[in-house]
Amino acid sequence: MDADILIAGGGLVGNALAIALGREGLSVIVIDPLPEATQAASEFDGRTSAISHASVKILSAIGAWEPMQPHAQAINDIRVCDQNKPGFVHYDHREVGSDPFGYIVPNHRVREGLYAALKTTPNITAMYGQKVEHFVANDHEITATLSDGTRLQSSLLAAADGRFSGLRDAAGIASRVISYQQTALVTVIDHEKNHKGLALETFFPEGPFAALPLAGGHQSGIVWTVREADAASYMAMPDADFTACIQQRLQGESGAWGNITRLGKRFSYPLKLMHAEQFYAKRFVLVGDSAHGIHPIAGQGVNLGYRDVAALTELLIQQRRVGLDIGAESVLAHYQRWRRFDSFSMTASTDLLNRLFSNNSELLGLARRAGLMAVERMPRLKHYFMRHAMGMLGDLPKMLKEVA
């Protein structure tokens, strides 16, 4: 064996899995076609991640949170409203304790933190500029052939190569894919007023608009969902016009951000739902977006991936401690049972939310606003949603309980 486990994809989830397993004594090879410098650059990925309270515990447990924490902004308040019309929900973190709901961290800072932890973790070999071209598994091992012809053998291959995973297809795992006919426009704005940790999500007929607080108080990440057919026009707008559109969508919120003083680089990402029908094949397992790609409406995509990491790590460590095969089908089936309901329920709920809010129906609009006002006036239901936002519902894997 060249390693206990091969991980194809050194992104936000793949590297976290490598660190978690390497710290527990398993030998790991991470394979990624792009060099570290490319992936860690701010120009590579303009998105931000909403790191839930539970995910912070996972990243802390593997030593990756400390290097990214200086770039993290606490989410102290969340405001959800419908087209700036009457009826909203305001979540205050103080209603559920002293901890914030989570943190907003630019994706390139998350990558930097993971790379920093990766370099100080034993038992990990990183192979950049390579990709797994094909693989074959038998009862004892899996052999992966890389793009340069190198052959690697291990007990298990984990695919963390994204929602359009070629390895998932090569393993014969079917998936359900739905195009939302929507595109997320992403940028960073500077604004005159301090956001004080406020995150906004406003629903418009074409899709949700989010302003996410960034470190420093006077920057926010914008995630603006538009119709796919309109995305090119928005991307081609002069900066002044694009800024005016964002300013207009912020005006209804009591001027919490003030005037926009600078507009950052724009990025666009087509939005699709993807959920794999199986999470494993013979000596092969899916983690992160390779298993489930969801709408960003609730900001929970990467948090699902980190829960995959926690669950798979715990199962593989248990198997190794008793001297058994970490690639055994029984282990992978257990992983699927553990993770499938969580991922499917989150996929379904975000899909439903997007369909419920992204429309022009006045009748649905009245129902939405009535529902928001009802949640605002029902403390117990509101408390449930706040704990859900923190990722603290249900049983946590042991690696979370140890740092809780």
Side-chain angles (χ1 to χ4, degrees):
M1 296 290 183
D2 294 290
D4 293 317
I5 182 170
L6 307 178
I7 300 176
L12 304 187
V13 174
N15 278 345
L17 179 62
I19 297 163
L21 295 174
R23 286 169 63 94
E24 295 294 336
L26 274 71
S27 58
V28 183
I29 297 177
V30 181
I31 304 143
D32 196 282
L34 296 176
E36 173 189 337
T38 299
Q39 296 195 58
S42 59
E43 297 81 9
F44 176 73
D45 187 349
R47 294 168 293 184
T48 58
S49 286
I51 308 295
S52 71
H53 184 68
S55 291
V56 169
K57 290 182 177 295
I58 294 171
L59 293 170
S60 296
I62 65 173
W65 178 245
E66 184 178 357
M68 65 181 78
Q69 187 172 10
H71 310 287
Q73 168 62 50
I75 307 171
N76 297 321
D77 299 87
I78 302 173
R79 184 180 175 91
V80 181
C81 54
D82 186 22
Q83 303 183 57
N84 297 326
K85 294 182 179 180
F88 66 89
V89 178
H90 179 251
Y91 299 116
D92 185 332
H93 76 288
R94 292 170 296 186
E95 296 180 40
V96 287
S98 58
D99 292 320
F101 292 115
Y103 296 83
I104 302 296
V105 187
N107 276 8
H108 72 280
R109 297 299 190 185
V110 178
R111 294 175 193 275
E112 285 178 356
L114 289 167
Y115 283 127
L118 196 77
K119 291 171 184 176
T120 60
T121 303
N123 309 310
I124 300 176
T125 300
M127 300 182 68
Y128 300 116
Q130 298 291 332
K131 63 179 293 187
V132 176
E133 293 290 352
H134 57 85
F135 55 90
V136 60
N138 59 37
D139 291 339
H140 308 289
E141 64 194 16
I142 188 165
T143 301
T145 303
L146 307 189
S147 46
D148 68 351
T150 299
R151 299 177 69 201
L152 299 173
Q153 293 178 319
S154 68
S155 296
L156 182 64
L157 169 62
D161 54 336
R163 73 178 64 192
F164 306 112
S165 170
L167 297 180
R168 182 185 65 237
D169 296 338
I173 298 176
S175 60
R176 184 187 184 196
V177 179
I178 297 175
S179 173
Y180 287 113
Q181 303 298 310
Q182 293 174 320
T183 297
L185 307 180
V186 175
T187 190
V188 172
I189 59 169
D190 290 11
H191 42 81
E192 60 177 341
K193 293 186 180 180
N194 193 313
H195 52 58
K196 299 179 181 178
L198 171 64
L200 166 73
E201 184 144 40
T202 305
F203 295 103
F204 293 95
E206 65 270 22
F209 172 92
L212 307 172
L214 295 174
H218 292 272
Q219 279 194 331
S220 293
I222 300 297
V223 184
W224 176 13
T225 302
V226 301
R227 296 182 182 92
E228 189 175 62
D230 299 331
S233 297
Y234 281 116
M235 289 295 289
M237 269 186 178
D239 282 357
D241 294 342
F242 193 82
T243 301
C245 288
I246 296 174
Q247 188 80 63
Q248 183 182 31
R249 281 159 176 76
L250 294 174
Q251 285 300 339
E253 296 310 306
S254 305
W257 292 265
N259 291 324
I260 298 171
T261 58
R262 189 187 71 86
L263 178 72
K265 180 180 177 180
R266 281 174 257 177
F267 299 81
S268 66
Y269 301 93
L271 300 180
K272 298 179 186 293
L273 174 152
M274 190 288 300
H275 199 271
E277 293 186 2
Q278 285 276 117
F279 283 9
Y280 73 96
K282 192 169 190 174
R283 297 194 174 277
F284 177 89
V285 66
L286 299 173
V287 293
D289 281 359
S290 299
H292 38 70
I294 67 174
H295 196 285
I297 194 168
Q300 292 298 312
V302 75
N303 297 308
L304 276 179
Y306 289 142
R307 294 203 288 274
D308 291 347
V309 169
L312 185 59
T313 297
E314 184 169 319
L315 291 171
L316 297 186
I317 291 169
Q318 288 175 353
Q319 190 78 344
R320 174 52 58 90
R321 282 175 179 166
V322 294
L324 298 178
D325 181 6
I326 65 170
E329 182 179 2
S330 59
V331 179
L332 305 184
H334 190 170
Y335 166 74
Q336 175 170 279
R337 289 193 301 272
W338 195 347
R339 295 300 306 134
R340 195 170 186 181
F341 177 77
D342 179 29
S343 64
F344 182 78
S345 60
M346 182 62 72
T347 301
S349 62
T350 53
D351 180 63
L352 177 62
L353 278 173
N354 185 56
R355 294 177 188 278
L356 176 64
F357 282 92
S358 300
N359 59 73
N360 283 304
S361 169
E362 185 57 33
L363 182 61
L364 283 176
L366 290 171
R368 290 193 300 262
R369 291 188 284 278
L372 290 173
M373 287 188 285
V375 172
E376 179 67 15
R377 295 168 182 170
M378 298 174 68
R380 297 182 74 174
L381 182 59
K382 191 176 178 182
H383 187 271
Y384 171 88
F385 284 124
M386 284 190 284
R387 286 186 59 79
H388 192 279
M390 298 174 76
M392 298 303 290
L393 293 178
D395 292 333
L396 294 176
K398 289 180 182 177
M399 69 179 292
L400 301 191
K401 292 176 181 177
E402 288 173 359
V403 295

